[in-house]
């Protein structure tokens, strides 16, 4: 499977996700944001980091770059797009995913291992997980507080488009297990066609027991099916 | 008041520049954690009669153009295109 | 402008220094030249008060590729891999503007590391604040922590370890020391020494603004009531641009274009150009009208003294300019040829073809003043603390009070604000005795930790200096690493005060003895004098940042208990030294007496033997005993795990508090599985190591038999609540 | 001008609230990394006659007090104490 990782000035998890993709047998290419054409790829990844320093709003400026209009075209034609952390923020800024990511409600950057629950495993991205499986993931962000309007929230729920929710070790989804104030503990969502996934936790950080665990592997291997 | 602004305007015209202020604020129904924390902190600092704080962004934009209408329009475009995220934010443009 | 006495004084130069300048120039300097002398001759750049003593530090070793004198130290870790690292202070700016001060401190030290061709792989920090009750502390603490995080997170380098301390000695002068570590190929290290004539001198990075003019001089002057006046010299950091600069420089370094490269740190363009020329024994000529400027109408004086961040100076090989420029264009950074190397041995500054300054390089560098400042030996306290005279306290109350104190509470509320995992090579992060960072794509790793103990150093600078090196060594050993080299940041008061100078000289003497004995050379460092206000100097606070090597990373080890019913072994002798301990400070506010002495022979033997045990996979978990003594160390091993301990009171116990809270050195606690005990004891005996078998792990409870028993969850809670109580709501 | 403000004042008095806007901007010679990036982006988006952008913070503050002088003073105090860092920033308070 071919993948491309888009690199913006200020992206800093680009190498991490490329390592994960290659380790899991993707044929990966890095794509510099100034390029005007995407290489042929089945999966496009927008990595974490601080594109353009997160200045103005996180993801806002990257959302206006040339390559992103190509990503939008690809997404519209059904290609798979994964936005991790800053990538999720970029996807909301481009409108590929609805809603917005606000400042964490404690106004601090949070880097911590948290748990998420797989709400929907019926997607290209999550097929190798079990429904309601609890994963340990790592978050590292300033703006992960997902917000959307009531109408869209209803759509997310009715169409089962919430991919992951923050939860406790035992799977409780409540205020105590919500690290950043995110609406309904949302940690990741799909678009309505489920070919786009945006998520705040970093699956690429969870592929190696020496560093953390291997809970992120299934996200990448799901895609290989 | 008017006098000063006119004078400023003339001054600006000379330099061929117009200056605008833009404020971008979160929509009413969007939670403003920053504002809330500022509010609490101020209360803890003893500002008891504080009722509410909302926080937003502020921009000062200089345009190299002395056609006020055109300049205003282009600032408005900047807001829509980049400065404000219309899903969660409102903006206001003022000539200064 | 006429150079009056006042103008000279404002530049921080005394009358003797000014007359030396006139002699060196054989004329009066103009204002630009005076500014340049002032920048190069101040403490920060010239090390004029410290140089004489720094010479005593051991800097050599088989593992050392580059010792002090370059942007950072370089050590060999085998397989053509090298580690580049350094620590630096940003104390004064951080006190004035905590967020930006701390952020630019991180930015500065990162540039020191990637200038040498290394990709930064980890950040550390040592931060010292005034007492928690002081009205400024909260704001400074929150600002500094978010500034460190703000910069490191944005640029994408994990912040993996550090130390945070509170003491009223820092009420008016906090300490913010940042350390950066990079990885380079041994055969591809870049230096600042210029070579060759007529080579292009290139300016890259951000534009020059009016910020930080006189910043370097500020860093070397005490605070006083007029500190406010110095305020506008604080710089705003731009981590985004630094990230671009870093990537662009590392990209350019892939081929052979660079002759010499130097970041613009304190004293900006001045110190970078002088340093390159001085090391290369060349001259440099700059055309200042070429300097990319942020503001209109900047003068040569402002350009030469600006401390705008995120800039570099590069000397390029002939014909490489075009390709190099392409790289910087790609990253949207300025790239301008602003001058050339010459054979004049002078710094010649032209502005629109008019010579504005002309100074022999040697006058700025090798002929800068060096002082042999007066210093006096510390008078040693004679008194021993008589425990019988102190109010009685229950063991339980003492332990809980220490665990809930500002200094010993859990610091995860800080470390969670730092991205510790980005780059995906962080094997052990903050919370461990030392962090472990894997070398990318390899199965070896480095360990790193920063340590200080200002109370010990205040009481007896010589043994304090010895102790911090050993503590750092112990922390590295405790994660299974072989200690290889250190960097150091020496934070002291006013060097013109003979007592302060004495503290400085003696601390260095202590550091020297330990480093020499342990083959733990100093490869880089930084001196920060004039920490204090209105003649009140801070306690001497040298900070040691150490690097250790783990050759084969199989089963990384840490200090958290792993199993039920393991045997707990205490290595090293416990005499019960309580003077200068946390126990006396926290419970009785008593700061009398001498700090514990380190026996270097025991230190080395114990450490090497522990390392042997770890390397033979005989140890389940391990923690060194530092401030707080045995009780606190045991609690730290238990908190956050499912296992506590059951400790037997020793038979020959003279005093419970001495045994459990004494801070005798060179000690470790080891968790050993029962079936490995025999093997372990054999190795310990073979090496003549003193050890005691003090108890076992058990589920759920932390217990000192007949004295104290608590659920470890309870201890953990207490250990974690300090910050929330302190902070409440913050901005 | 005066008239409006008085009317507003009366209106506010009824609600017993006064509302202020505060803008906090970086001092003139201080680097504004955010503004710089925003400016470059706008230019890249084709806003060619843009001369400069500086970014700052904006606050809307409601005070539960109908004494204008006292309220203004307390907002001023908030700025000095918390909202602005006087070392690198300037602020402006306006009654709205
Ligand atoms: N400012 C900080 N930044 C990063 N890590 C920190 C900081 N302060 C404390 N820590 C971490 O907290 C832990 C405890 O610190 P400390 O008590 O100084 O450790 P030790 O006694 O082992 O030197 C260490 O793992 C250290 O890395
Ligand atoms: Mg330790």
């Amino acid at each position: 499977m071919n993948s491309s990782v888009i690199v913006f000035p200020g992206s800093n998890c680009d190498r991490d996700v490329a390592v994960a993709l290659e380790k899991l047998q993707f044929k990966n290419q890095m794509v510099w944001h100034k390029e005007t054409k995407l290489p042929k790829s089945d999966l496009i990844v927008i990595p974490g980091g601080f594109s353009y320093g997160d200045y103005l709003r996180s993801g806002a400026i990257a959302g206006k770059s040339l390559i992103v209009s190509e990503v939008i075209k690809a997404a519209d034609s059904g290609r798979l797009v994964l936005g991790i952390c800053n990538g999720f923020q970029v996807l909301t800024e481009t409108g590929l995913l609805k809603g917005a990511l606000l400042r964490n409600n404690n106004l601090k950057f949070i880097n911590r291992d948290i748990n998420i629950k797989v709400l929907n495993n019926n997607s290209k991205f999550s097929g190798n997980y079990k429904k309601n499986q609890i994963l340990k993931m790592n978050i590292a962000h300033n703006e992960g507080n997902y917000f959307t309007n009531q109408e869209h929230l209803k759509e997310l729920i009715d169409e089962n488009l919430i991919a992951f929710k923050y939860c406790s070790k035992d799977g409780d989804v409540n205020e105590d297990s919500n690290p950043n104030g995110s609406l309904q503990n949302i940690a990741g969502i799909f678009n309505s066609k489920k070919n786009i996934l945006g998520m705040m936790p970093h699956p690429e950080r969870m592929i190696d027991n020496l560093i953390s665990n291997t809970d992120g592997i299934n996200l990448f291997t799901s895609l290989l099916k | 008041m008017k006098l000063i602004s006119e004078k400023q305007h003339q001054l600006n015209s000379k330099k061929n520049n117009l200056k605008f202020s833009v404020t971008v604020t979160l929509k009413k129904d969007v939670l403003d954690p920053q504002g809330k924390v500022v509010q609490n902190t101020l209360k803890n600092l003893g500002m008891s009669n504080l009722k509410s704080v909302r926080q937003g962004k502020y921009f000062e934009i200089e345009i190299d153009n002395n056609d006020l209408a055109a300049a205003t329009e282009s600032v408005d475009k900047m807001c829509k295109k980049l400065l404000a995220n219309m899903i969660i934010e409102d903006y206001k443009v003022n000539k200064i | 402008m006429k150079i009056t006495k006042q103008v000279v004084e404002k530049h921080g130069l005394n009358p003797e220094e000014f007359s030396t300048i006139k002699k060196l120039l054989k004329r009066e300097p103009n204002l630009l030249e005076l500014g340049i002398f002032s920048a190069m001759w101040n403490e920060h750049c010239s090390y004029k008060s410290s140089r004489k003593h720094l010479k005593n530090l051991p800097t050599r070793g088989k593992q050392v590729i580059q010792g002090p004198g370059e942007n950072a130290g370089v050590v060999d870790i085998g397989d053509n891999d090298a580690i580049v690292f350094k620590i630096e202070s940003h104390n004064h700016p951080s006190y004035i503007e905590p967020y930006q001060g701390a952020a630019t401190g991180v930015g500065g030290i990162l540039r020191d590391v990637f200038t040498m061709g290394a990709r930064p792989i980890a950040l550390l920090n040592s931060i010292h604040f005034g007492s928690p009750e002081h009205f400024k502390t909260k704001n400074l603490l929150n600002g500094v922590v978010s500034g460190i995080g703000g910069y490191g997170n944005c640029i994408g380098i994990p912040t993996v370890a550090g130390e945070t301390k509170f003491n009223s000695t820092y009420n008016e002068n906090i300490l913010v020391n940042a350390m950066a570590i990079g990885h380079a190929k041994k055969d591809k290290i870049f230096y600042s020494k210029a070579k060759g004539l007529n080579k292009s001198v290139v300016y890259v990075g951000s534009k020059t603004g009016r910020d930080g003019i006189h910043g370097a001089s500020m860093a070397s002057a005490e605070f006083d009531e007029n500190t406010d006046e110095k305020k506008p010299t604080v710089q705003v950091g731009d981590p985004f641009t630094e990230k671009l600069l870093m990537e662009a420089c590392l990209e350019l370094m892939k081929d052979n274009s660079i002759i010499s490269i130097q970041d613009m740190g304190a004293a900006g363009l001045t110190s970078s150009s002088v340093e390159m020329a001085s090391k290369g024994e060349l001259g440099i000529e700059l055309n200042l009208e070429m300097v990319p400027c942020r503001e209109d109408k900047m003068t040569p004086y402002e350009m030469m003294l600006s401390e705008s961040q995120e800039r570099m100076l590069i000397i390029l090989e002939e014909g490489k300019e075009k390709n190099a420029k392409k790289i910087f264009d790609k990253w949207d950074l300025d790239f301008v040829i602003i001058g050339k190397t010459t054979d004049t041995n002078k710094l010649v500054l032209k502005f629109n073809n008019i010579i504005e300054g002309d100074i022999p390089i040697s006058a700025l560098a090798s002929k800068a003043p060096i002082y042999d400042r007066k210093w006096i030996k510390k008078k040693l306290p004679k008194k021993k603390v008589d425990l019988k005279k102190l109010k009685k306290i229950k063991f339980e109350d003492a332990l809980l009070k220490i665990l809930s104190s500002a200094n010993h509470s859990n610091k995860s509320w800080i470390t969670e604000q730092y991205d510790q995992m980005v780059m995906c090579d962080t094997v052990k992060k903050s919370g461990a005795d030392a962090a472990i960072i894997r070398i990318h794509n390899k199965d070896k790793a480095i360990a790193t930790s920063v340590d200080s103990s200002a109370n010990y150093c205040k009481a007896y600078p010589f043994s304090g200096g010895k102790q911090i090196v050993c503590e750092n060594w112990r922390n590295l050993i405790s994660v299974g690493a072989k200690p290889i080299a250190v960097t150091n940041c020496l934070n002291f008061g006013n060097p013109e005060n003979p007592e302060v100078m004495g503290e400085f000289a003696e601390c260095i003497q202590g550091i020297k003895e330990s480093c020499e004995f342990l083959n733990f050379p100093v490869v880089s460092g930084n001196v920060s004098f004039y920490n204090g206000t209105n003649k009140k100097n801070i306690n001497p606070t040298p900070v040691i940042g150490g690097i250790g090597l783990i050759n084969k990373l199989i089963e990384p080890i840490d200090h958290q208990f792993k199993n039920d019913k393991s045997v707990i072994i205490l290595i090293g002798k416990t005499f019960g030294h309580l003077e200068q301990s946390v126990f006396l400070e926290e419970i009785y506010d008593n700061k009398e007496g001498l700090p514990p002495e380190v026996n270097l022979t025991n230190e080395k033997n114990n450490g090497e033997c522990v390392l042997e045990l770890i390397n033979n996979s005989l140890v389940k978990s391990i923690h060194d005993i530092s401030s707080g003594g045995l009780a606190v160390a045991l609690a730290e091993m238990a908190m956050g795990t499912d296992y506590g301990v059951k400790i037997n009171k020793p038979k020959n116990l003279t005093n419970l508090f001495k045994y459990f809270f004494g801070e005798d050195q060179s000690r470790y606690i080891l968790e050993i599985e029962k079936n490995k005990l025999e093997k372990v004891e054999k190795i310990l005996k073979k090496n003549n190591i003193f050890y005691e078998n003090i108890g076992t792990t058990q589920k759920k409870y932390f217990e000192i038999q007949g004295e104290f028993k608590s659920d470890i969850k309870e201890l953990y809670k207490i250990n974690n609540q300090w910050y929330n109580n302190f902070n409440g709501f913050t901005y």
Side-chain angles (χ1 to χ4, degrees), chain C residues 35-73:
Chain C
I36 287 173
F37 272 103
S38 127
M40 290 307 298
W41 281 22
N42 83 37
E43 196 62 63
H44 200 79
C45 288
S46 70
Y47 286 79
K48 60 188 169 192
S49 305
S50 57
R51 192 169 288 197
K52 179 177 172 286
H53 299 276
L54 292 177
K55 277 205 197 111
N56 295 330
L57 291 171
T59 60
R60 277 180 239 263
K62 236 178 39 220
Q63 67 274 44
V64 179
I65 296 173
Q66 173 67 52
E70 271 288 338
N71 285 301

Side-chain angles (χ1 to χ4, degrees), chain C residues 123-127 145 148 159-165 407-408 411 414-415 418 420 429-435 449-451 471 475 559 623-624 626-627 636:
Chain C
L123 285 164
L124 296 85
N125 60 83
S126 165
I127 49 184
V145 169
I148 291 171
T159 301
V160 297
E163 55 165 3
T164 310
K165 294 190 175 165
N407 278 316
H408 291 83
K411 300 293 187 299
I414 293 182
T415 55
Y418 305 146
Q420 305 195 63
K429 51 189 181 181
S430 285
D433 283 322
S449 164
V450 287
D451 295 279
E471 159 137 30
N475 278 324
H559 67 290
H623 195 22
D624 69 307
S626 63
S627 60
E636 284 169 352

Side-chain angles (χ1 to χ4, degrees), chain A residues 135-154:
Chain A
L135 312 172
K136 189 163 155 191
M137 288 267 167
N138 189 262
I139 53 168
H141 58 244
N142 240 319
E143 288 94 4
N145 181 349
Y146 183 75
F147 174 86
T148 193
N149 60 35
Q150 286 304 315
E151 197 184 330
H152 177 232
L153 181 64
K154 192 169 174 307

Side-chain angles (χ1 to χ4, degrees), chain A residues 196-208:
Chain A
I196 306 176
L197 168 65
M199 63 191 294
M200 289 316 294
H202 288 270
E204 80 278 16
R205 295 185 178 189
M206 319 311 269
I207 57 159
D208 182 346

Side-chain angles (χ1 to χ4, degrees), chain A residues 25 36 71-72 105 145 177 189 199:
Chain A
Q25 313 303 323
T36 48
V71 175
I72 294 175
N105 62 350
N145 181 349
S177 57
I189 60 166
M199 63 191 294

